[in-house]
Amino acid sequence: MIPPVFLLVCTTLVSLVIASDPVIKLRDAASEVLDSPSIWAVYPASLSASSHIMHAVGELWKGIHSVGYWDESTANVPASWSSTGNTVLVFGGDDKQTPVTRLDLSAGTQTDQEIYQKMMEAMDNAMHRTLQGRGEKQNHQSHQQQTHQQQSKRKTKKDAVIKMDASNFDSLVMQNPAVVAVAFTAPWCGHCHRLEPEWREAAEILAKDDVVFGWVDATVETQLAAQYQVQGYPTIKIFPGGAKSKPYDYPAERSAAAIVEFLLEEVERSGVPKPVPELHLGPSQLQEACSGSNHLCVLAALPHILDSGATGRENYLQSLSKVARTFRKNFSFLWFEGGSTQADLEQALGLTFGFPALVAISLDRQGLAVMHGAFRETNVHTFLHGITTGRQPVLPLKVQGADLPVATTTPWDGKDGRPVEEEDDFDLEAFLNDEM
């Protein structure tokens, strides 16, 4: 009798093999392929002679495009599929009733290398067909950009330390989910003057880590000083992240290094999420976010809003925020809408295989690494860990970081996208007849 434990181990191993199979057994052709926004290559199960090539293609495109096969048990197989014989059908774009490419893989007519190359070309053609179908989406983006053009002006770099008083304290501190550090000072205080450059340096270091640094003249803001029991100068109060309650006194040294170390620990204790800003302000925003020695910048190209909808985009951003929280130190994160107004940037970064996509760049070392695989939190973690440990291959940037073609675009309004309706042609003859 076979031991139950042995059966359990075997069952588990079989499940893992099935789960990792790059070629999908289709259960319902209509829902999985025809109604899907993804690019698909499908073939009949009878095409067994070339199945190893299809597995190689599926492994390469795993998590990006899909490869599958159907048999007699597959539901809703179109009649046109059943007569394909030894043909692979490649579908792309929004209309999948007609395949982009039909590849005849009859045995003996071509080598494995030739078949593989043709499959790669077919999948590439399908990708271009999908991108071409976004002309309507380009119109949508252009319409939004014209409407909100004035909102796209470049943002000047702000002082990392914020002067606080009674008029802005509540909004900047009490209503702010970030970690906030406030220094209560006096103009005549020598220790305050010595603290100021250290405070400013720490603020500049943590400017990308969502830590807010405040500076209060307690001799003017006497009510604020009394409210927070300030009895000497300088007094540094730490307001933990999340819902604000009673602050506590900063307990460490007043050097920039000690302040940075302590506040990063507070960020981790507070569990403060790391918002991922949209890249829409042009080259200056990229330079500001990604500059610095040994600093890596992660750029996420998310699907078009007409593809993902607002809910889908929020889910992507939440996942990115969780990853960004883990990789706070020496990493910056930005996102932009793929397949839209940042086409030149996508080309420069090698993001030509569909969206979502992720790339990490170093402006300091002029290098980049592109993530290949499914856009999941675990995969992004593995990818970024691979970079930090040297296991992830890094390629040189095609252009200098300062010359990366970043477009100035209209920021996302947080809503679902609406295709721009084309106006009917103006009928001049009908207009003149009405006037007469």
Side-chain angles (χ1 to χ4, degrees):
M1 180 177 178
I2 300 176
V5 173
F6 178 78
L7 290 175
L8 177 61
V9 171
C10 290
T11 303
T12 303
L13 291 174
V14 170
S15 300
L16 290 173
V17 170
I18 293 174
S20 62
D21 196 333
V23 176
I24 300 168
K25 162 65 170 65
L26 298 176
R27 293 181 173 84
D28 189 313
S31 63
E32 292 180 88
V33 180
L34 300 183
D35 297 336
S36 167
S38 302
I39 292 171
W40 275 89
V42 298
Y43 64 96
S46 58
L47 192 64
S48 57
S50 301
S51 61
H52 62 291
I53 300 176
M54 303 308 296
H55 273 73
V57 173
E59 188 65 45
L60 179 64
W61 288 110
K62 190 174 181 181
I64 303 171
H65 305 317
S66 301
V67 178
Y69 69 91
W70 76 90
D71 58 18
E72 296 178 353
S73 65
T74 304
N76 298 316
V77 178
S80 59
W81 291 20
S82 302
S83 58
T84 56
N86 294 319
T87 302
V88 175
L89 306 177
V90 180
F91 296 90
D94 296 328
D95 182 6
K96 292 192 171 62
Q97 298 304 315
T98 303
V100 174
T101 306
R102 294 174 179 268
L103 292 177
D104 184 1
L105 303 187
S106 300
T109 60
Q110 48 204 324
T111 65
D112 286 357
Q113 183 61 36
E114 290 173 336
I115 294 173
Y116 183 83
Q117 185 62 36
K118 288 182 178 180
M119 279 299 306
M120 291 296 98
E121 292 174 358
M123 298 294 272
D124 191 52
N125 289 338
M127 181 183 68
H128 285 297
R129 173 72 64 86
T130 301
L131 294 178
Q132 286 175 357
R134 291 177 176 169
E136 183 183 45
K137 299 165 188 175
Q138 293 278 7
N139 291 338
H140 160 74
Q141 179 70 21
S142 177
H143 176 74
Q144 273 199 334
Q145 187 168 350
Q146 292 173 4
T147 304
H148 305 286
Q149 188 66 34
Q150 294 303 316
Q151 300 176 7
S152 304
K153 294 181 179 179
R154 290 184 179 180
K155 181 178 63 174
T156 57
K157 188 174 181 179
K158 295 182 179 180
D159 194 334
V161 176
I162 303 173
K163 183 178 180 181
M164 296 181 177
D165 54 34
S167 67
N168 62 14
F169 196 89
D170 185 68
S171 61
L172 293 175
V173 180
M174 304 309 294
Q175 304 301 322
N176 194 334
V179 172
V180 183
V182 181
F184 290 84
T185 65
W188 43 260
C189 167
H191 292 297
C192 299
H193 289 294
R194 285 190 288 272
L195 170 66
E196 186 174 5
E198 302 292 330
W199 195 247
R200 193 170 302 279
E201 181 181 348
E204 291 173 354
I205 293 172
L206 295 180
K208 300 172 183 177
D209 291 273
D210 300 300
V211 178
V212 177
F213 284 74
W215 190 269
V216 175
D217 183 345
T219 64
V220 175
E221 303 298 326
T222 55
Q223 290 187 348
L224 277 178
Q227 180 180 348
Y228 292 103
Q229 300 176 348
V230 175
Q231 298 178 349
Y233 308 110
T235 294
I236 299 174
K237 296 287 184 177
I238 305 298
F239 295 78
K244 293 295 185 288
S245 56
K246 186 177 180 180
Y248 64 90
D249 290 336
Y250 171 74
E253 295 180 6
R254 294 174 182 171
S255 67
I259 294 169
V260 168
E261 181 179 1
F262 180 85
L263 289 176
L264 283 177
E265 291 175 354
E266 180 54 49
V267 166
E268 292 301 318
R269 285 193 295 268
S270 299
V272 178
K274 173 76 172 175
V276 179
E278 180 181 1
L279 177 60
H280 69 92
L281 294 170
S284 61
Q285 184 185 9
L286 182 70
Q287 294 296 320
E288 183 177 342
C290 302
S291 61
S293 178
N294 296 321
H295 192 81
L296 290 172
C297 199
V298 180
L299 303 178
L302 301 184
H304 197 283
I305 191 62
L306 295 180
D307 287 335
S308 66
T311 300
R313 178 167 289 181
E314 288 291 353
N315 289 337
Y316 282 123
L317 291 175
Q318 287 178 12
S319 296
L320 282 173
S321 178
K322 292 178 182 178
V323 175
R325 176 185 165 189
T326 302
F327 291 89
R328 284 181 184 273
K329 194 172 183 180
N330 295 328
F331 279 86
S332 293
F333 287 73
L334 295 167
W335 72 273
F336 61 92
E337 188 176 76
S340 186
T341 56
Q342 299 287 5
D344 292 339
L345 178 62
E346 293 162 15
Q347 190 68 31
L349 298 177
L351 302 179
T352 58
F353 46 82
F355 310 102
L358 196 84
V359 61
I361 64 173
S362 170
L363 299 185
D364 178 38
R365 301 186 179 184
Q366 292 295 304
L368 87 163
V370 179
M371 188 183 83
H372 295 283
F375 195 93
R376 302 190 185 98
E377 286 183 36
T378 53
N379 289 355
V380 177
H381 272 272
T382 301
F383 170 68
L384 296 180
H385 273 302
I387 294 175
T388 58
T389 57
R391 294 194 299 268
Q392 177 66 40
V394 177
L395 303 174
L397 280 170
K398 294 181 180 179
V399 298
Q400 291 293 315
D403 298 326
L404 282 171
V406 182
T408 301
T409 65
T410 302
W412 179 43
D413 59 8
K415 301 177 182 178
D416 284 317
R418 295 181 59 186
V420 177
E421 297 181 1
E422 295 185 3
E423 297 182 0
D424 295 334
D425 292 337
F426 181 73
D427 191 338
L428 179 60
E429 184 178 355
F431 174 79
L432 293 176
N433 288 337
D434 290 342
E435 289 293 307
M436 296 175 63

